């Protein structure tokens, strides 16, 4: 069981009240422990075969295709339904009803009857049903301008300009990847014990990796249909420079709040990794060179981190500045043995923006795979084991837990409209999570239990009015309305990274901070907020192509090589 | 139970959990108790028992204004008696309470429990937590829960609308057998309609303001 143990280490873990502030969560970057990097490391180590197996798509781009990932023990298939979409129907919102392509990941290899069944359901997405043979359901739209440009260039027998590709970074953008149990899919509990799914979200990301392959195959297919005699295939280095986009709204935000014990394990793995690296003595010349190289490559990647959102523009510019300072700081180090990683980390806290500090965390973790990679297998947990409430706990103990772990909440004034400004709810229209203004909109009485800080304070007030000799069970008999936060408080006592140390209903809360944190654990890059509650990202950009997984697998693929950036 | 197997919806376990959670919340349970209800439903469905039917019966029969009312607890020399004057006991509230207190070894009698099947997952948690087998009797029917928290016999009779349930310790050590869990939770169209109508009460009708807050409000043609 993973708790926070610090006694045996001279450098402590960063405390939750430092790590889990929204502002810092909204500055987190991918790391070696991010789920898509874990997936590709497994593909490489176990020599998974990833390939297109079936392609029945017409000249208009309508039809079906199947891709497979074949591992040492099992095979998974991505079934694709490709569409010729009327542009007026192209929306990145969950309220869309038609997409350029829809996908499902099948557990095994589908037969003709499976494909016929999926054909009737997958294109409908939420309005269709999948079964316990399927593991995920998703859809994607073309990034129209870039897609059409690449199609035209390939049809004309030319390669597209790398600089044009880099502006967007992908040909298609997914707008939802539904996993465990959704719309009839198999629940994760039935596959959680498979080795390949020991890290979170591996089946979803397996699907996304194959969707990336499809996004290039379909543009080449259409270019060939346009000009059978002239069309060329996309050059390999350009193919590799394209990831797959994703457009994500509020729907994803409540996940990390609704899965506190799981979230603790994600954060703990990352913090353990950072702590271990900060403790390493005697930086080798090789690792020092790698560090400087990664700073360079990170700077190159930054050149293509585009956003129009003023806040993100400011953050990216601060990060650019931070990376320059970091490079200068490292250049001033004469010998590798003069550099202590803990001092470097401390320097980052003293000198860099939060974006820069969290970027340093990412780079430090990168240096010691032999130390940190073990933590990737500790990022899943059977949450059910921690569901039951310990009713025998004394009320005094519970009150103490609340006042210790949620100290910040007691400094907030929930009588003020600023602190109690918003409410989370599910919309009748699309059953998706939304955030309302409590004092301006209808529906606050149907609020979802995400106002953790406020509810903890309310529960504590109720506890203080009771006899402290009471047990938690007796308290909950009288006050079942406090049950959800009592459960959380007992969990956070054991799993201190389970709770965000901020008010999720404050008037100035930015949901994109929640999204960024979760997506960084997926391994997303190039966060591009479109509003305070909507973000576009890139996944698997620069990732090895299937044929590059087995020989000389480049585990640092996510940092663009200096040459690819120069050519862009 | 309403049988319309042709159009029976095969929900995933997670979908059932979420549907029951929302239905109970819509019916007036607190969020914390609704979470317990969803989890209890998932527990039953995994073991091939009709969770949806049990919750439909409960939500249709129980006076939902009284849902969270606490059972009256009477400690007697012969054991603990739970009751609610003039009314039956809610299996979610009663079950959560029994699970919270943990199994003490003393006999428990819960009078007139609605949909007593729903009580079983909570008793299973108690049995597992205390590593004790439990015998559960209800007006002529009986089942046994092993010390691993698994049913050792069928649950016939517990799916009826209301029963007085008697719980006693039983020295039953489970054989460590791999349990074959059900992957699907069948829900009939009629059950689905009832549960969804309760779940619907948790949703907020859309407004222009809420729509504008849901996304970037941009087209995806770029």
């Amino acid at each position: 069981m993973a708790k926070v143990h610090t006694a045996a280490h001279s450098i402590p873990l960063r405390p939750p009240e430092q790590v889990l502030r929204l502002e810092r969560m909204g500055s987190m970057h991918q790391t070696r422990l991010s789920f898509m990097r874990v997936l590709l490391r497994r593909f490489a180590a176990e020599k998974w075969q990833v390939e297109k197996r079936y392609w029945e798509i017409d000249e208009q781009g309508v039809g079906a295709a199947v891709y497979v990932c074949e591992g040492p023990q099992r095979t998974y298939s991505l079934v694709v339904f490709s569409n010729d979409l009327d542009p007026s129907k192209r929306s990145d919102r969950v309220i869309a009803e038609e997409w350029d392509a829809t996908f499902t990941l099948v557990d095994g290899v589908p037969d003709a009857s499976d494909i016929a069944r999926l054909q009737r359901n997958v294109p409908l997405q939420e309005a269709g049903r999948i079964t316990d043979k399927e593991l995920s359901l998703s859809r994607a739209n073309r990034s129209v301008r870039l897609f059409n440009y690449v199609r035209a260039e390939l049809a004309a027998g030319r390669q597209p300009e790398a600089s044009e590709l880099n502006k967007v970074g992908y040909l298609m953008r997914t707008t939802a990847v539904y996993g465990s149990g959704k719309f009839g899919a198999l629940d994760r509990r039935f596959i959680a014990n498979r080795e390949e799914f020991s890290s979170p979200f591996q089946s979803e990301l397996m699907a996304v990796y194959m969707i990336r392959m499809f996004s290039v195959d379909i543009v080449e297919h259409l270019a060939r249909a346009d000009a059978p005699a002239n069309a060329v295939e996309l050059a390999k280095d350009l193919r590799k420079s394209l990831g797959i986009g994703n457009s994500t709204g509020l729907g994803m935000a409540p996940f990390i709040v609704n899965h506190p014990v799981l979230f603790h394990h994600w954060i703990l793995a990352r913090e353990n990794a950072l702590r271990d690296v900060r403790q390493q003595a005697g930086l080798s010349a090789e690792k020092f060179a790698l560090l400087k190289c990664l700073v360079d490559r990170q700077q190159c990647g930054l050149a293509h981190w585009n956003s129009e959102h003023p806040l993100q523009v400011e953050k990216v510019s601060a990060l650019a500045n931070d990376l320059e300072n970091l490079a200068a700081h490292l250049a001033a180090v004469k010998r590798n043995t003069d550099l202590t990683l803990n001092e470097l980390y401390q320097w980052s806290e003293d000198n860099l923006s939060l974006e820069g500090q969290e970027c340093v965390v990412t780079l430090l973790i990168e240096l010691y795979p032999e130390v940190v990679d073990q933590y990737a297998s500790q990022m899943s947990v059977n949450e059910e084991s921690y569901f039951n409430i310990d009713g025998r706990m004394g009320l005094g103990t519970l009150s103490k837990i609340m006042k210790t772990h949620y100290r910040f909440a007691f400094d907030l004034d929930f009588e003020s409209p600023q602190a109690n400004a918003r409410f989370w709810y599910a919309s009748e229209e699309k059953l998706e999570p939304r955030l309302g203004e409590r004092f301006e909109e209808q529906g606050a009485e149907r609020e979802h239990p995400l106002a953790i800080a406020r509810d903890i304070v309310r529960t504590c007030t109720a506890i203080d009015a009771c006899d402290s000799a009471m047990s938690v069970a007796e308290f909950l008999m009288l006050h079942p309305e406090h049950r959800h936060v009592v459960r959380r408080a007992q969990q956070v006592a054991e799993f201190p990274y389970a709770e965000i140390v901020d008010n999720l209903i404050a008037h100035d809360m930015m949901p994109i901070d929640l999204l960024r944190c979760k997506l960084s654990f997926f391994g997303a890059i190039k966060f591009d907020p479109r509003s305070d509650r909507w973000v576009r990202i890139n996944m698997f950009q620069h990732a090895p192509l299937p044929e590059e997984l087995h020989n000389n697998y480049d585990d640092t693929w996510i940092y663009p090589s200096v040459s690819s950036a120069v050519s862009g | 139970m309403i049988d319309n197997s042709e159009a029976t919806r095969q929900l995933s376990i997670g979908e059932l959990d979420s549907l029951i959670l929302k239905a109970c919340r819509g019916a007036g349970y607190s969020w914390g108790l609704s979470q317990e209800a969803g989890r209890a439903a998932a527990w039953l469905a995994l073991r091939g028992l009709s969770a949806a039917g049990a919750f439909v019966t409960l939500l249709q029969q129980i006076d939902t204004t009284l849902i969270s009312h606490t059972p009256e607890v009477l400690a007697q020399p012969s054991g603990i008696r739970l009751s609610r004057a003039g009314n039956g006991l809610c299996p979610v509230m009663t079950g959560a309470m029994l699970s919270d207190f943990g199994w003490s070894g003393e006999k428990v009698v819960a009078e007139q429990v609605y949909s007593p099947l729903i009580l079983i997952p909570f008793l299973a948690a108690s049995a597992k937590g205390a590593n004790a087998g439990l015998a559960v009797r209800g007006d002529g029917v009986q089942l046994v829960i092993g010390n691993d928290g698994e049913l050792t016999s069928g649950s016939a009779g517990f799916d009826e609308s209301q029963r007085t349930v008697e719980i006693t310790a039983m020295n039953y050590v489970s054989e460590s057998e791999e349990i074959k869990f059900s992957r699907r939770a069948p829900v009939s169209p009629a059950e689905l309609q009832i549960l969804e109508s309760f779940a619907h009460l948790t949703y907020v009708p859309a407004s222009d303001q809420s729509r504008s807050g849901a996304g970037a409000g941009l087209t995806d043609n770029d």
Side-chain angles (χ1 to χ4, degrees), chain B residues 141-165:
Chain B
V141 296
Q142 126 156 5
L143 61 79
V144 174
I145 301 170
N147 64 328
D148 59 351
E150 289 302 331
L151 285 176
T152 64
S153 58
S155 61
F158 283 86
D159 50 358
E160 289 183 10
S161 65
Q162 217 176 0
R163 278 182 188 277
T164 290
V165 177

Side-chain angles (χ1 to χ4, degrees), chain A residues 427-439:
Chain A
S427 77
E428 183 181 52
E429 190 173 45
K430 287 300 274 190
L431 314 184
E432 57 169 356
R434 288 184 184 171
L435 190 58
E437 299 295 327
R438 185 182 311 278
F439 302 106

Side-chain angles (χ1 to χ4, degrees), chain A residues 124-395:
Chain A
L124 304 177
Q125 294 285 295
E126 292 93 336
R129 292 292 292 170
I130 50 176
T131 72
D132 59 356
K133 285 186 179 177
E134 283 83 50
L135 305 180
S136 76
L137 180 71
S138 52
R139 66 292 190 99
N141 280 339
R142 293 173 193 164
S143 179
V144 180
R145 274 197 294 270
L146 186 64
F147 192 97
N148 289 345
Y149 163 71
V150 173
R151 176 177 177 172
E153 291 298 294
L154 295 179
R158 290 188 299 265
Q159 291 299 323
E161 293 293 331
S163 58
E164 289 300 311
L165 299 192
N166 271 325
K167 279 182 197 162
V168 179
Y170 49 78
L171 292 171
M172 295 187 93
R173 186 160 53 228
T174 54
T175 59
V177 182
Y178 296 112
S180 178
K182 298 283 163 50
F183 305 104
L186 186 65
D187 297 276
R188 175 172 161 80
R189 70 170 74 228
F190 297 107
I191 52 167
N193 60 358
R194 295 184 191 177
E195 176 58 29
E196 60 269 31
F197 295 143
S198 55
S199 286
F201 292 102
Q202 297 296 286
S203 57
E204 290 88 343
L205 291 168
M206 199 181 269
V208 171
Y209 183 70
M210 292 188 278
I211 292 172
R212 175 194 187 224
M213 293 163 68
F214 168 77
S215 72
V216 178
D217 290 343
I218 186 71
V219 80
E220 288 179 342
H221 173 83
L222 291 170
R224 249 191 327 269
D226 293 342
N230 288 338
V232 291
E233 292 188 344
L234 188 62
K236 203 166 162 180
D237 60 326
L238 295 179
R239 194 178 243 261
K240 205 167 157 178
S241 76
L242 293 169
I244 193 85
N246 175 266
S247 189
T248 294
L250 279 179
M252 181 183 268
F255 181 90
I256 55 178
V257 188
N258 287 333
H259 297 271
V261 177
L262 178 65
F263 185 54
H264 163 89
H265 284 78
W266 295 6
I267 298 289
L268 179 65
R270 194 169 175 276
E271 293 303 315
N272 271 333
L274 172 64
R275 189 265 327 274
D276 286 3
V277 171
R278 286 170 66 186
Q279 293 195 146
Q280 298 297 319
L283 185 70
S284 70
E286 200 187 0
K287 286 191 192 300
F288 185 48
L290 174 62
L291 176 59
K292 288 194 284 192
C293 170
L294 289 174
V295 173
D296 264 6
R297 289 169 69 180
Q298 189 78 324
Q299 282 181 297
C300 293
L302 211 53
H304 302 296
W305 186 346
N306 302 318
S307 180
E308 285 169 22
H309 198 280
L311 277 173
Q312 194 58 42
V313 170
E314 200 179 303
K315 287 175 79 165
V316 172
S317 135
L319 180 57
N321 201 27
D322 288 343
L323 286 172
E324 263 177 50
N325 285 342
L326 177 60
H329 185 75
L330 294 177
V333 176
K334 288 205 177 66
R335 287 184 309 268
N336 53 295
T337 47
D338 294 344
L339 185 69
T340 311
L341 295 182
N342 188 44
E343 280 171 11
L344 180 63
Y345 174 77
Q346 287 299 343
W347 174 86
S348 78
E349 276 199 2
D350 296 340
N351 293 281
L352 307 184
S353 70
L354 287 177
E355 281 272 1
Q357 292 174 33
E358 291 305 304
C359 183
V360 167
V361 170
T362 288
L363 296 175
L364 291 181
I365 289 176
E366 204 67 54
L367 300 179
Y368 285 89
E370 66 277 22
V371 173
V372 305
D373 285 359
Q374 54 162 330
Y375 291 117
S377 64
Q378 297 174 21
M379 298 171 90
S380 288
V381 64
N382 180 5
E383 296 173 277
E384 276 190 35
S385 321
Y386 306 99
F387 180 84
N388 288 336
I389 287 175
D390 173 10
R392 295 174 189 186
M393 177 185 275
L395 211 45

Side-chain angles (χ1 to χ4, degrees), chain A residues 20-38:
Chain A
L20 296 175
R21 299 302 308 270
L22 283 174
E23 200 184 1
R24 185 177 293 274
M25 289 168 65
S27 300
M28 287 181 177
H29 300 261
Q30 62 75 35
T31 70
R32 289 188 63 78
L33 302 175
S34 294
F35 309 139
M36 65 181 73
R37 296 190 61 189
V38 172

